Amino acid sequence: MTSIPPSRRSFLVLSGLAALSVPLTAACGGDPGDGPAADGKVTFDWWNIATTEPGRSLFPRIASAFMAAHPDVRIETTSLENEAFKSKLTATPCRWSTR
């Protein structure tokens, strides 16, 4: 199976989306008492609006690669349509998850 690199435009769009997701996750600091579980494992949800290729399959691959390098971190990726993303973003409070 050969891999076709994304076009420059796709790469820039995906890079921009990834860069925008960092401040969103950083903004969800939670309470000082919230944080990693006693065993040090952390789970977080990574929402994105990549509903078409290459982004739809790229974000889970990025998460898998990160989790392979960091076994105490679990990332659950969810691709949402733009309007669903905005609705979910405004309706969901920021919180830490130590599942």
Side-chain angles (χ1 to χ4, degrees):
M1 179 176 186
T2 60
S3 176
I4 300 172
S7 67
R8 180 172 186 235
R9 181 178 179 185
S10 295
F11 176 77
L12 292 174
V13 168
L14 292 173
S15 297
L17 289 173
L20 288 174
S21 68
V22 171
L24 291 175
T25 58
C28 297
D31 294 329
D34 292 344
D39 61 1
K41 296 188 180 197
V42 176
T43 299
F44 70 92
D45 297 319
W46 183 10
W47 300 339
N48 63 72
I49 57 171
T51 56
T52 59
E53 294 302 332
R56 186 169 181 86
S57 62
L58 181 63
F59 285 121
R61 286 187 301 186
I62 292 170
S64 294
F66 185 88
M67 290 185 294
H70 303 88
D72 290 339
V73 177
R74 178 179 158 97
I75 302 170
E76 297 173 359
T77 59
T78 304
S79 294
L80 300 163
E81 297 275 337
N82 188 37
E83 292 303 316
F85 179 84
K86 290 190 282 189
S87 296
K88 192 169 186 174
L89 189 61
T90 58
T92 304
C94 294
R95 64 176 172 77
W96 283 95
S97 175
T98 54
R99 294 181 248 169

